[in-house]
Amino acid sequence: MSTIREILTSKGNKVLTISGQASVLDAIGVMSEANVGAIVIQDGDQPGGIFTERDYLKKIALKGLSSSKTVVSEVMSSPLITVELSDPTHDAMETMTERRCRHLVVMDNGTMVGIVSLGDLVKRMLQEKEAEVQQLSSYISGNY
């Protein structure tokens, strides 16, 4: 079973952040430019929340709020749902299912070190299953 550390090692640990006083329009502009679905809200050393595409739909678009006049701290999801570097990917998937979220901020000793998405976890689990099928096929055919 793989860990969150292995996912970050392969995908990288870059996390997009923005100030809580930035406008929602600025946040979605940064997200769009980077082609990601979430941005961490950080003022100072610690992340305070996360703003996702779902937050935009539920808290801005459906309520008719202005993206340029609303600050992101007013509509971010908080507190953060986090995972540790050493946690198994299976546990992270369970957390996402139970908490109904698509992004987990990765922490290591209280410091943010990355972010993983549902897509990252699914990709990793598929890679593991493909490797397992190859090993079993090799064993069955005697090529081990």
Side-chain angles (χ1 to χ4, degrees):
M1 183 65 59
S2 63
T3 64
I4 298 301
R5 180 184 313 274
E6 293 168 27
I7 291 175
L8 286 186
T9 298
S10 65
K11 82 166 238 176
N13 63 345
K14 182 175 171 136
V15 180
L16 286 180
T17 62
I18 197 165
S19 165
Q21 296 308 306
S23 72
V24 168
L25 186 61
D26 289 338
I28 60 176
V30 172
M31 291 164 59
S32 177
E33 181 72 26
N35 197 30
V36 298
I39 190 166
V40 174
I41 312 310
Q42 186 170 0
D43 291 308
D45 292 341
Q46 292 298 315
I50 190 167
F51 183 73
T52 68
E53 295 164 324
R54 277 185 175 180
D55 291 323
Y56 181 80
L57 289 173
K58 289 181 177 181
K59 299 173 183 177
I60 299 294
L62 288 177
K63 293 184 178 181
L65 296 178
S66 168
S67 298
S68 60
K69 294 180 181 174
T70 305
V71 294
V72 75
S73 63
E74 293 175 3
V75 291
M76 69 183 181
S77 294
S78 182
L80 282 174
I81 302 171
T82 63
V83 65
E84 292 291 323
L85 266 179
S86 59
D87 288 349
T89 54
H90 183 268
D91 290 358
M93 184 71 82
E94 284 181 0
T95 298
M96 285 183 170
T97 301
E98 290 169 6
R99 302 293 298 271
R100 300 184 53 81
C101 65
R102 296 180 183 185
H103 300 87
L104 296 173
V105 172
V106 182
M107 304 295 283
D108 185 32
N109 295 319
T111 302
M112 180 175 61
V113 295
I115 190 167
V116 292
S117 69
L118 181 59
D120 297 329
L121 294 175
V122 168
K123 180 180 176 182
R124 183 61 178 199
M125 293 175 106
L126 285 174
Q127 290 170 342
E128 289 175 357
K129 294 302 177 193
E130 287 173 2
E132 186 178 332
V133 166
Q134 285 182 341
Q135 288 174 341
L136 290 171
S137 295
S138 292
Y139 177 75
I140 290 168
S141 65
N143 295 330
Y144 50 94

